[in-house]
Structure formats: structure tokens, C-alpha cells
Amino acid sequence: MSKIPAFAEIDQLVSLITSSVETIKTQYASLASNPSTLDLSLDSTAKHPLDLKAVPSALQDAFRTLQGSCAQLENIVLPPAYTIASLSMNHFTASCLNVAVTSKLADHLLPAGPQGLQVNKLSKLTGIIPNKLSRVLRLLAHKGCFKEVEPDVWANNRLSMELLSQQPTSALVGLFTDEAYVAGTTLSSTLTDSHYGPSVQLNEASWNRAMNFTGTLWDFYQNVDPARGLRLAEAQIGYCHVLTFESVLHGYPFKDLPTGTTICDLGGGFGHVSMHIAKACPQLRIILQDQPGTIAAAKSYWEKGAPEVVREGRVEFIAIDFITQVPKQGCDYYFIKNVVHDWPDHDVVTILSNVKKAMKPTSHVLIHEFVMRYASKDPGSEDGILNKAPEPLLPSYGEGRILQYYLDIGMMSVVNAKERTLSEFKAIAAQVGLELDKVWDSGLMNTVDFKLGESQSSALLGNHKTSSKTQLTSVLTAAVPEPKTHA
Ligand SMILES: C[S@@+](CC[C@H](N)C(=O)[O-])C[C@H]1O[C@@H](n2cnc3c(N)ncnc32)[C@H](O)[C@@H]1O
């Protein structure tokens, strides 16, 4: 049969799907201690073989290629009206996930095991009538989460196990399907509102309009609903599970840093990421800085999670308001993960200016976040710096990187903030005298490595030669309140 030109893209996509699946199988086989007992079945409630493991970059690349290719193939071959209608109802998945975590469906199903629980019994435990409860579960089961063992009998499966209330992923689902979801409901009217639409104020986001709340989300967490504030901290751990802790370690050569290197984990939450770094790199010292309430809770988190690091005095807990205060002076690295995406540009400039005041000439600022890519085939000025998907995918991998585009809209809706392109990171950093040193590939995210600009660091070096360390510190901290130390 002669080749039909219209099928060329389909054939290319199928070939990408085949090759990425082959890579995935090879990688799983080599990662498994015993490939013959490897269990990837969705019906299983055992931990996934890749949970909390280092995901090699070849495997990450294959995941992105597979996801991007499958979605692009569907978009090409399915009728467009069907695809769009289906997209427009995606929010019902979020609604049903919210029911699942709020009513603890996975927890209630756990004791029943694989034979499952009749919906009438689950109804008594949740207060939701059986028919409606089964319908919520059925939608989720069609997305792969929960199993209908027989009509109206429900059991957990590998995906629903992530919704158990002790799993940090369930806190993440709570955050996305509650605060972020509520914010999404008023996005359209907010964007076209003459005041809120162009606003870049933290407290003038879609979420504020939806909640009729004039403070910031952070005020809300601190003063109105601390339980949701703590859920945010939990959700951050869930977020790291999604993106894997290990990719942070693989994304930057922390293991190769010399003994005594100091890493300030700024806005580090409980310090779950720096704890992971501290455990893997016993030569490093961590300074964890976050808001007072979080720092107070972080101490017991470390005493439980990394008692040896606490005992060795390799972690310091210092409360800070990074908008008004300077972080710990003279650290080798200021590691800022998933913080600046919470803030509009002018606040990021404030935060980085405060960081700069603490830097010594050789300090680096490591911003660990998504780096946004264009949806264009033309990657613009970032060509060659960020890795590129194979044709015929978008250079960004399309659906293969969809998480960062969801997050970007989440940030816009909830706090008027954003995920940034590399050019945007560079432009903000330049405003405070920082320049790009390198972009490290950390899987779905990147570690964007900044250092002091040439003129800034030589000025500091000059100061170093002529003034005592005490004088330098006092110059740098002039008019800035000292952060409160919680020893
Ligand atoms: C999205 S979380 C990121 C946590 C952690 N870095 C991670 O990646 O998992 C943002 C963190 O910034 C902290 N934060 C918000 N406002 C702050 C402020 N003014 N001063 C210090 N920390 C702040 C929050 O408490 C929270 O822990």
C-alpha cells in the first residue's frame, strides 16, 4: 500500500511510543533486584517499584516522551469536539478526588483488602448515600484510581493508596482540589475584572475573590486556618514524592561539595528536602529558615526523621520573614526550592535582594523550580540550554510536562504568582545583581544556579581585603532586623 502522507505524524508518534516503552521496560528490569517478581499491576496495593527511588534521567525522558506522544496521538486521531468536551469536564475528576480525600475513602477501604467493601457499608462510614458514592468512585476508577471488584463493591488499588490520609500525596490532592480548585472557579471573571485582572498583588488573586478574603493566602494560613497551613507543609512533602527527592540530589552535585559547606534552605518548610540532602551528604551543614510556626514544627520533624543530623549539630533552625529579613550571613549556598513561584516579581526581587545582602563573594543561589518552556516549536533564546523533546512533539514535550503548566495557572489563581521561563528568572536576578552560572537538569524541574555578578563579587572581594569580617557583616545587614533564632 502506498504511504498516505497524513499518517506520517501518526507513524512517528507510534514509533516514539514503542521506543519509549522499550526504554521503560529495560530500565525497570535493570532497577529491579529480581525482575521476575517485579509487580507493576494497577490492582496491586504494594508500593510501586519506583517509589522514592532515584529515577534515572533516561527513564524520566521516556516517561515524558510516552506521555507527550500518547496525548498528541489522541489529539490527532480523535474528533476535536469530543476531545474538547472531555477536557472541559476534567474538573469533575478533581471534585471526585476531593470527595475521596475529604471522606477518607481509601482509609475506609483499607481493612477490607482486595475483596473490597460493599458500598452500603462505605456509605455508613462516610455519610454519603450509596448511589452517589459509587458514582464518585466509578469516575475515579475510570481514571485508574480505586477498583470496582464487582458491581458496587470497592477496593483500593495502587493509585488510590496514594490517597490514604497518612500519605503526603493526599495532602497535595487536598491542596489542589480545595484552595487551587476554588481559585479556578473565578479565574475567568477575575482576568477580565478591571481591577483584579491586571493586578500583581498577592492578595488580589482569583482565590481572594472566590473567598471574599482581602488578606494574602499566607495570612489566611497563619491567622484564619492554621490546619490548612499545616496541610500545605504536608503537601510540599507530597510534591517531592511526585517529583522524587532523588532528582534534587541528582540535579545538583551536592555529594561532591567539600566538608563544612553550608546550605541555607530558605523557605524550606519542615526541611524535608534539606533533610534528604543532609542524610545523603554527611559533609554538609544545613541552615533551615522559614516562618516561625513552621520552624517550630520543623524541629520535631528533624528529631524524628534525622536524629543523627540534629545530634551532630549539622542543622540549625532559624525563623525568618524573608520579605523583611536577611537570611543567615555568608552561607555557601542559598537553596530556594518552590518558593519564588509563590510570589509576584516585585516580591521575588525583595526576597533575592535580602539573599544578596547575606551572600559572600563565592556564594551561589540555587533556585529549584520548574523552568517554563514555550508551546512553540521555536524554543527562542533558550535553545540549547534546556533539553528538547524529539519531533514531532513540542520541544517542551507537550503533555509530558503538563504538571508545570497546571502549577503555573494554580500560582496565578491562588497568589497572583507564576512559574517562570529562564529569561524571566535571569531578568529578575539581574535586577538584584545576580547572574546565571548554569542550569542543572533535575528531571521535571531544573536547578537554576546564580552567582554574584562580576562587579558585585569583586566589590565584595575588595571589601573583604580592606575591612574586617565584622565590618563587612555590619555593612551588609545595616537597617535589616536580625532573624530570630530558635535554637
Ligand atoms: C511552597 S513552600 C516550599 C517549601 C519547600 N522549599 C519545598 O520545596 O518543599 C513555600 C514556603 O515558603 C514559606 N514562606 C512563605 N512566606 C514566608 C516568609 N515571609 N518568610 C519565610 N518563609 C516563608 C512557607 O512557610 C513555605 O514553607
Side-chain angles (χ1 to χ4, degrees):
M1 194 174 69
S2 69
K3 288 237 177 206
I4 299 176
F7 293 164
E9 187 172 343
I10 295 178
D11 293 342
Q12 265 181 302
L13 289 167
V14 170
S15 141
L16 281 180
I17 291 170
T18 310
S19 61
S20 50
V21 167
E22 281 313 312
T23 305
I24 289 169
K25 289 198 305 204
T26 310
Q27 288 282 330
Y28 271 113
S30 70
L31 284 172
S33 43
N34 182 357
S36 60
T37 58
L38 186 64
D39 181 2
L40 293 172
S41 152
L42 207 52
D43 283 351
S44 168
T45 50
K47 279 273 172 211
H48 187 271
L50 270 191
D51 267 345
L52 292 187
K53 292 245 176 69
V55 181
S57 60
L59 190 47
Q60 298 208 21
D61 208 50
F63 288 158
R64 283 196 286 271
T65 305
L66 178 64
Q67 227 188 331
S69 306
C70 288
Q72 191 161 321
L73 186 58
E74 279 188 25
N75 288 341
I76 290 173
V77 299
L78 297 182
Y82 173 87
T83 303
I84 287 292
S86 173
L87 282 178
S88 69
M89 289 194 283
N90 261 352
H91 59 286
F92 287 126
T93 308
S95 309
C96 292
L97 280 172
N98 188 261
V99 174
V101 291
T102 310
S103 296
K104 300 188 188 306
L105 299 185
D107 298 74
H108 291 312
L109 291 178
L110 195 60
Q115 61 274 36
L117 192 65
Q118 221 285 329
V119 74
N120 291 330
K121 293 189 180 143
L122 192 57
S123 165
K124 290 207 175 77
L125 296 167
T126 58
I128 302 174
I129 66 165
N131 175 272
K132 291 184 179 178
L133 188 51
S134 264
R135 285 156 62 200
V136 165
L137 283 160
R138 205 161 286 129
L139 181 138
L140 292 175
H142 281 80
K143 290 282 185 184
C145 181
F146 293 107
K147 182 175 183 197
E148 191 161 16
V149 183
E150 56 186 84
D152 288 313
V153 175
W154 294 99
N156 280 320
N157 69 355
R158 184 165 264 149
L159 262 56
S160 71
M161 291 296 278
E162 292 294 321
L163 302 178
L164 288 172
S165 48
Q166 94 263 8
Q167 285 286 359
T169 318
S170 80
L172 188 68
V173 171
L175 174 72
F176 287 162
T177 62
D178 182 356
E179 290 96 308
Y181 183 87
V182 166
T185 59
T186 45
L187 182 60
S188 176
S189 57
T190 302
L191 291 179
T192 51
D193 182 272
S194 61
H195 177 75
Y196 281 83
S199 172
V200 288
Q201 296 308 314
L202 203 59
N203 64 337
E204 292 182 345
S206 183
W207 176 82
N208 295 84
R209 287 184 72 234
M211 296 290 287
N212 200 17
F213 184 72
T214 54
T216 68
L217 181 71
W218 308 118
D219 298 332
F220 181 79
Y221 285 150
Q222 287 283 319
N223 307 316
V224 180
D225 197 338
R228 277 192 166 77
L230 283 178
R231 180 173 72 181
L232 172 78
E234 264 298 286
Q236 291 307 318
I237 304 174
Y239 194 75
C240 285
H241 282 205
V242 173
L243 299 169
T244 86
F245 286 109
E246 288 290 342
S247 65
V248 173
L249 278 178
H250 284 258
Y252 192 83
F254 288 108
K255 288 184 175 158
D256 301 335
L257 296 176
T259 301
T261 300
T262 47
I263 307 216
C264 174
D265 183 7
L266 188 62
F270 290 162
H272 46 281
V273 179
S274 45
M275 179 190 288
H276 194 66
I277 296 173
K279 283 178 164 180
C281 312
Q283 85 283 18
L284 302 181
R285 298 178 54 79
I286 306 294
I287 296 97
L288 180 65
Q289 299 211 255
D290 205 287
Q291 303 187 90
T294 311
I295 285 295
K299 277 188 246 165
S300 53
Y301 180 76
W302 280 72
E303 272 150 19
K304 250 197 236 149
E308 71 292 354
V309 180
V310 177
R311 225 179 13 254
E312 290 159 11
R314 285 202 294 119
V315 56
E316 205 179 326
F317 302 94
I318 306 180
I320 190 173
D321 171 3
F322 52 46
I323 295 291
T324 58
Q325 295 178 302
V326 171
K328 171 95 172 177
Q329 292 282 340
C331 293
D332 296 301
Y333 290 89
Y334 293 88
F335 177 69
I336 310 178
K337 180 179 164 295
N338 286 350
V339 169
V340 303
H341 74 163
D342 291 339
W343 298 85
D345 289 353
H346 60 273
D347 288 315
V348 178
V349 169
T350 306
I351 296 167
L352 291 183
S353 305
N354 282 333
V355 171
K356 196 188 129 193
K357 288 175 189 152
M359 287 170 80
K360 56 184 178 179
T362 52
S363 300
H364 281 238
V365 178
L366 301 177
I367 296 183
H368 187 92
E369 285 199 358
F370 288 126
V371 173
M372 296 299 276
R373 291 134 194 254
Y374 303 104
S376 163
K377 287 265 176 181
D378 172 4
S381 62
E382 279 142 34
D383 198 12
I385 302 180
L386 303 169
N387 66 342
K388 224 163 48 177
E391 287 281 356
L393 300 181
L394 290 176
S396 63
Y397 290 80
E399 179 81 16
R401 281 191 181 272
I402 195 65
L403 215 59
Q404 66 196 77
Y405 298 88
Y406 286 144
L407 250 289
D408 183 41
I409 301 302
M411 291 300 149
M412 183 199 318
S413 313
V414 177
V415 279
N416 242 340
K418 66 202 293 196
E419 305 296 332
R420 292 178 170 85
T421 61
L422 189 56
S423 309
E424 288 172 322
F425 278 123
K426 285 195 315 199
I428 290 188
Q431 284 189 55
V432 301
L434 295 175
E435 67 180 34
L436 184 69
D437 193 22
K438 186 169 172 166
V439 180
W440 301 83
D441 189 357
S442 312
L444 281 176
M445 296 180 133
N446 287 94
T447 305
V448 190
D449 185 351
F450 290 101
K451 59 181 183 180
L452 284 170
E454 197 63 35
S455 59
Q456 313 274 335
S457 72
S458 40
L460 273 185
L461 275 170
N463 277 351
H464 249 310
K465 280 183 199 135
T466 54
S467 52
S468 72
K469 197 173 171 192
T470 334
Q471 279 168 326
L472 176 68
T473 307
S474 65
V475 168
L476 292 173
T477 55
V480 182
E482 269 299 302
K484 232 169 47 203
T485 304
H486 290 251

